[in-house]
Amino acid sequence: MPFSEDTLTRLKADAAEITGRYPRARSALLPLLYLVQSEEGYVSDDGMAFCAEVLGITQTEVRGVATFYTMYKHEPAAEYQVGVCINTTCAIMGGDQIYAELAGHVAGAPGHEDAEHGDALGGTSDHGDIKSPDGKVALERLECNAACDYAPVVMVNWEFFDNQTPASARELVDKLRAGENVAPTRGPSRLCTWKQANRILAGFGDGQAADGPSAGPASLVGLKLAKEHGWRAPGAGESHHDSEAAGGSVEPSSAQPPRSDKETS
Amino acid sequence: MTDTLTPVLTANWDQPDSFTLAGYSRTGGYKALPKALAMEPDDVIATVKNSVLRGRGGAGFPTGMKWSFIPQNDGKPHYLTVNADESEPGTCKDIPLMMANPHVLIEGIIITCYAIRASHAFIYVRGEVLHVIRRLQYAVAQAYEAGYLGKDILGTGFDLDLVVHAGAGAYICGEETALLTSLEGYRGLPRNRPPFPAVEGLYASPTVINNVESISSVPSIIANGPTWFSGLGTEKSKGYGIFSLSGHVKHPGQYEAPLGITLRELIDLAGGMLRPGHPLKFWTPGGSSTPLLTREHLDIPLDFEGVGAAGSMLGTRALQLFDTTTCVLRAALRWTEFYQHESCGKCTPCREGTYWLVRAVERLESGKGSDEDLETILDVGNNIVGRAFCALGDAAPVPISSAIKYFRDEIIQHQKHGGCPFDPAASTAWAV
Ligand SMILES: Cc1cc2nc3c(=O)[nH]c(=O)nc-3n(C[C@H](O)[C@H](O)[C@H](O)COP(=O)(O)O)c2cc1C
Ligand code: SF4
Ligand code: FES
C-alpha cells in the first residue's frame, strides 16, 4: 500500500537527515532501506520507490542493492525475528540441535521437514523463514554473529541471547509469542520490536544505549584473571609522564570494585 | 619480564559505565588526543610507524606505513573508514570492544584523521549487532557534545565528522574494497587493486581502511610512546592484541596479551579444555580463513611469523577450539558452506568452485564419497586459489584442505562407516 501523506512527510524528513550525513547522497541507500523497513517491516515496492525518489536513481538500482544484503526482508517480517547461529562453533556447541528443536516448535509441529540442521545450502536467509502460526515469531539460520565465546548464540531482532540451550530457546520463543518481555543477555532490559530495531539501524537511536552491562562475563575472563594476578601492561610511567593515558588506561581503575559476575563454563 | 596478560583496550570493561565519556575519561581516556593534536601530523604517522603496529584485521600490514601512502597536498578530501564488519567465523573481539569501550575507538579515529588529514570518517559496523550500534551512536553523540568531534576540535582548527554506518548482512563487505563499494551505496562487490584505496578509495579519494582494534591501539601508542608498544610482543610482531577463545574450553572469552603467547598458555588461563578425557583435536588460529592446526602446534608462538611457519596465519586471533568429540569433516563442511553462501558471485572460480566444493565435501560427510572426491576437492581448491578476484575465494578451500592434510584417515573412515562416526550430541556445550 502506498504511504499516506503524513507518513511520506515524516519519512522525507528522516530521509533528509540520513542523506545529510554523507558527502554523497547515494551512500545513504543502506540506511534508507532500513528506514523503509522500519516503517513496513520489510522492503516493499513502495519502500524501494521511495528510496529511488530520494536519491534520484531507478527502482531497479535500488532493488539490485536491496537483494544483495541479507538483512533486508522482501516479505513482511515477524514482530520477532529469531536467528540461530549455525556457523561451525555454535553449531557444534549445540546450535544445530537448538535450530532443529525450534524449527518444530515454532512451526507447531515437531519434526518439521526443514528441521534437521544447517544443510548443504549453506545456511541462512535463502531458506526462507519458518513462521509461527500466529505470525509473531519467525525463525531463521544465521552465520557467525561475532559472539562465538558465548556459543551457542541466538539473536532476536539482532539482540544477543548468549549461551542458549534447547530448553532456554524454546522458553524464549514461548515468551515472545505470549507477549511477555524478554531481556537480551547483552542489551537493554526490554527487547524492541523488529521495526524499532530497523529504525536504530537507520541511525535513529532509541535512548537505550546505556542500558545493559558494559560487557558480558566471557568478555571479562582475561581482565578478571589479570586483576587476580596483578598482571598489567608495563607501567608506562617509566618512559612517559602522562602514563595513565593508555587510551583506556594501563592502570586498572580503582573507581569501582571488580564485578563478580559468574563466569561461563 | 612482561606479564602474561596485559589489558589495555580491555582494561576498563568491568566498569559499569566504561562505554560512557565519563567512564572512559576516568580511566585515562582522551588524554592521548591533546598530545597528538599538539604534534605535527607527520610526527603522529612516524610515531605509529615506529611502534611497528601491524593491522589487527587479519593481514598484519604495518599501520603507520599504510597511513604514509596517503598523498598529501593533493587537493582531494581524505577519508578514514574503520572496518567494524567483524564477520569472519570465530572472530569476536571488535564487537565486545565497541560495546564496552567505544570511546577508545573514537579517540583513535580522531588521532588517525588528524594524522592523515581527513575530515570525514566512517565506522562501517556489521548490522547484526544492535546494542553495539546503539553504544557507538551514543558515544559519537557524546564526543560531539564534548567538542572532540565537529568543528575546531579542542581549539586546534581541526574539523572532523564521524558517521556510524550499519552494514546489512554480507561477509564480503569486510573485504576492504567491497566495503567501500558498499559504503558508496552499491552491492558490496570487491574492486580491482591497484588503484589502492590509499590513492583511490571512497569516492575515488585517498582513503585509509583499518580494523577496529588497529585504530583503538593508537591512543595507547601516542600516550605511552612507540617504544612502549614495541617493547611488547616478539621480534617482528610488536605490541599486544586480544585473543578470543571459543569452543571446547572451560572459560571461553577475551584474553588481551602480548603477541607471541602460546595456545597452551591460553588454554591454561582458560581453565583447561571443557571435558576431562577429551583433549584438543583441532583449532583455528585466526578464524575460518586460517588453516586448521592440531595438538602438535600448542607451543608455537601466536605471532605473525610463528603461525606462518606452522603453515597457517595469525589472522584475527580467533582461536576456535574443538576437542576429540568433534568431527573435523562436519566442521569443515559448515565452513565450506559459509564461503559458498557468502561468495559475492563476481568471479567464476569462486562462485562455481565453492558450489563444487560443498557438493564434494557433502558426499564425503554423508559417507557416499570416494577417494576421487578427495582429489576433486584438492583440485577445485587449487583452481580457486590464485584465480579468485579477492581473498574470500582464496580462503574458501582452506578449512577442507587443511582438514584433509591432518585428518585424511578420519575422512576416509566416513566412507567405510557409511556416514559420520561421531555423535553430534557428544560435542554440545551441555554434554558431559
Ligand atoms: C572476505 C573478507 C572479509 C574481511 N572482513 C574483515 C573484517 O570484518 N574486519 C576487518 O578489519 N578486516 C576484514 N578483512 C580484511 C580487510 O580487507 C583489510 O585487510 C583490513 O580491514 C585492514 O585493516 P588493518 O590493516 O587494520 O588490519 C576482510 C577481508 C576479506 C577478504
Ligand atoms: S573471490 Fe568470491 S567473493 Fe571475491 S570477488 Fe570473486 S566471487 Fe566475489
Ligand atoms: S559461530 Fe556463532 S557466533 Fe560465531
Side-chain angles (χ1 to χ4, degrees):
Chain A
M1 210 182 71
F3 298 116
S4 72
E5 276 305 311
D6 284 356
T7 308
L8 263 184
T9 310
R10 187 165 41 78
L11 287 179
K12 276 186 179 155
D14 286 342
E17 188 179 327
I18 293 173
T19 50
R21 291 177 203 145
Y22 298 94
R24 297 200 187 166
R26 172 81 192 231
S27 284
L29 183 49
L30 265 56
L32 285 173
L33 287 164
Y34 282 129
L35 177 70
V36 295
Q37 182 153 272
S38 77
E39 194 62 34
E40 297 189 286
Y42 71 116
V43 176
S44 68
D45 287 346
D46 294 319
M48 285 188 273
F50 175 82
C51 296
E53 195 191 313
V54 168
L55 298 178
I57 57 178
T58 68
Q59 287 189 47
T60 312
E61 284 178 277
V62 175
R63 187 182 304 277
V65 173
T67 51
F68 183 82
Y69 298 95
T70 57
M71 288 175 71
Y72 301 121
K73 300 281 171 194
H74 301 285
E75 47 192 272
E79 200 171 334
Y80 298 104
Q81 289 288 137
V82 177
V84 180
C85 175
I86 51 81
N87 203 287
T88 307
T89 294
C90 281
I92 285 172
M93 299 299 282
D96 276 353
Q97 193 185 331
I98 292 176
Y99 181 81
E101 295 196 20
L102 275 192
H105 191 66
V106 168
H112 188 276
E113 48 163 48
D114 196 28
E116 259 198 8
H117 61 81
D119 63 26
L121 292 171
T124 50
S125 61
D126 23 22
H127 291 264
D129 303 349
I130 299 173
K131 268 202 180 171
S132 62
D134 57 11
K136 276 199 110 155
V137 168
L139 180 69
E140 61 188 322
R141 295 180 174 118
L142 303 179
E143 296 295 3
C144 177
N145 220 90
C148 324
D149 47 344
Y150 296 94
V153 172
V154 169
M155 307 295 294
V156 183
N157 294 346
W158 306 121
E159 302 277 19
F160 291 107
F161 289 81
D162 299 327
N163 298 113
Q164 293 295 297
T165 64
S168 70
R170 265 198 310 272
E171 189 186 321
L172 171 63
V173 165
D174 290 343
K175 283 190 170 166
L176 292 171
R177 289 183 63 184
E180 287 174 45
N181 178 51
V182 293
T185 324
R186 288 174 290 151
S189 46
R190 175 160 277 284
L191 184 67
C192 67
T193 66
W194 169 253
K195 288 183 181 176
Q196 287 164 343
N198 277 280
R199 202 169 155 76
I200 294 164
L201 292 166
F204 300 100
D206 64 351
Q208 301 298 307
D211 211 4
S214 296
S219 310
L220 296 173
V221 285
L223 178 59
K224 246 183 97 175
L225 215 55
K227 285 195 167 172
E228 277 165 26
H229 288 85
W231 291 332
R232 53 172 68 182
E238 290 149 29
S239 53
H240 271 268
H241 195 60
D242 50 346
S243 62
E244 273 167 71
S249 101
V250 286
E251 306 280 325
S253 160
S254 54
Q256 299 283 338
R259 289 218 311 233
S260 56
D261 292 51
K262 180 169 70 72
E263 285 178 28
T264 50
S265 60
Chain B
M1 254 306 277
T2 311
D3 288 343
T4 311
L5 294 175
T6 49
V8 178
L9 305 180
T10 59
N12 66 348
W13 292 10
D14 60 351
Q15 307 295 304
D17 61 349
S18 64
F19 55 88
T20 66
L21 185 81
Y24 178 61
S25 305
R26 190 181 64 241
T27 53
Y30 286 114
K31 284 204 186 139
L33 180 61
K35 191 169 167 184
L37 295 184
M39 294 162 72
E40 285 301 320
D42 284 343
D43 293 340
V44 176
I45 296 178
T47 303
V48 173
K49 249 189 187 166
N50 294 337
S51 76
V52 209
L53 169 66
R54 293 170 66 180
R56 298 305 195 223
F61 192 83
T63 304
M65 197 190 296
K66 185 184 277 190
W67 296 1
S68 69
F69 293 155
I70 295 287
Q72 296 304 336
N73 304 315
D74 55 341
K76 284 187 177 177
H78 299 172
Y79 298 104
L80 170 67
T81 307
V82 174
N83 193 339
D85 197 51
E86 191 159 75
S87 307
E88 162 88 1
T91 309
C92 51
K93 62 188 179 69
D94 299 335
I95 291 304
L97 169 56
M98 293 184 289
M99 185 183 283
N101 197 3
H103 281 286
V104 76
L105 173 61
I106 295 173
E107 187 175 13
I109 288 171
I110 306 165
I111 296 171
T112 306
C113 287
Y114 174 73
I116 64 165
R117 286 89 158 173
S119 58
H120 222 125
F122 301 87
I123 301 173
Y124 187 105
V125 56
R126 66 179 300 180
E128 302 95 327
V129 290
L130 201 60
H131 205 49
V132 171
I133 292 169
R134 281 196 193 88
R135 290 264 161 97
L136 285 171
Q137 290 168 344
Y138 178 62
V140 168
Q142 282 198 313
Y144 269 102
E145 267 169 43
Y148 295 140
L149 289 171
K151 293 264 174 267
D152 191 21
I153 293 166
L154 300 182
T156 57
F158 171 55
D159 303 337
L160 177 63
D161 280 312
L162 174 57
V163 177
V164 178
H165 182 91
Y171 167 61
I172 187 59
C173 292
E175 194 282 330
E176 58 183 26
T177 61
L179 185 152
L180 295 176
T181 319
S182 174
L183 181 53
E184 290 175 356
Y186 296 86
R187 298 162 74 93
L189 303 180
R191 304 174 181 174
N192 263 319
R193 284 181 306 188
F196 285 93
V199 182
E200 273 185 43
L202 188 66
Y203 315 126
S205 284
T207 302
V208 164
I209 301 152
N210 272 129
N211 171 258
V212 169
E213 196 187 354
S214 312
I215 296 294
S216 299
S217 302
V218 169
S220 69
I221 291 168
I222 297 297
N224 302 310
T227 52
W228 169 82
F229 189 84
S230 61
L232 291 166
T234 58
E235 198 192 331
K236 288 184 178 153
S237 300
K238 301 298 190 190
Y240 57 83
I242 301 175
F243 293 81
S244 310
L245 268 67
S246 65
H248 293 136
V249 63
K250 274 230 168 62
H251 300 297
Q254 310 301 323
Y255 297 83
E256 197 175 5
L259 300 189
I261 193 169
T262 66
L263 183 59
R264 188 186 301 280
E265 290 174 273
L266 283 166
I267 293 176
D268 273 352
L269 292 170
M273 294 298 284
L274 188 58
R275 285 177 274 260
H278 288 292
L280 179 68
K281 179 175 167 182
F282 62 95
W283 54 290
T284 66
S288 58
S289 302
T290 61
L292 296 175
L293 295 174
T294 67
R295 221 181 313 172
E296 43 176 294
H297 306 107
L298 274 167
D299 294 308
I300 61 166
L302 296 175
D303 62 8
F304 293 104
E305 294 69 33
V307 185
S312 187
M313 290 177 289
L314 184 63
T316 55
R317 287 152 281 123
L319 302 146
Q320 305 174 87
L321 316 183
F322 301 95
D323 69 17
T324 49
T325 63
T326 319
C327 173
V328 73
L329 201 45
R330 179 178 171 212
L333 172 59
R334 196 57 60 87
W335 281 315
T336 312
E337 289 169 349
F338 168 79
Y339 289 104
Q340 187 206 345
H341 183 246
E342 299 298 329
S343 167
C344 80
K346 180 178 172 127
C347 68
T348 317
C350 170
R351 187 184 59 238
E352 301 294 322
T354 52
Y355 174 86
W356 289 112
L357 274 183
V358 168
R359 292 295 162 291
V361 180
E362 243 188 334
R363 272 198 300 279
L364 291 177
E365 208 256 354
S366 65
K368 297 187 192 100
S370 61
D371 292 348
E372 209 179 303
D373 284 313
L374 277 181
E375 296 318 312
T376 307
I377 287 168
L378 297 174
D379 199 45
V380 172
N382 286 337
N383 274 304
I384 302 178
V385 175
R387 290 196 176 82
F389 189 78
C390 85
L392 186 150
D394 291 337
V398 158
I400 186 61
S401 53
S402 55
I404 293 173
K405 176 173 172 191
Y406 294 112
F407 299 99
R408 191 180 264 264
D409 287 349
E410 178 179 321
I411 291 169
I412 289 172
Q413 233 8 73
H414 280 66
Q415 299 169 30
K416 300 212 173 103
H417 192 264
C420 182
F422 289 85
D423 173 14
S427 53
T428 59
W430 47 85
V432 276

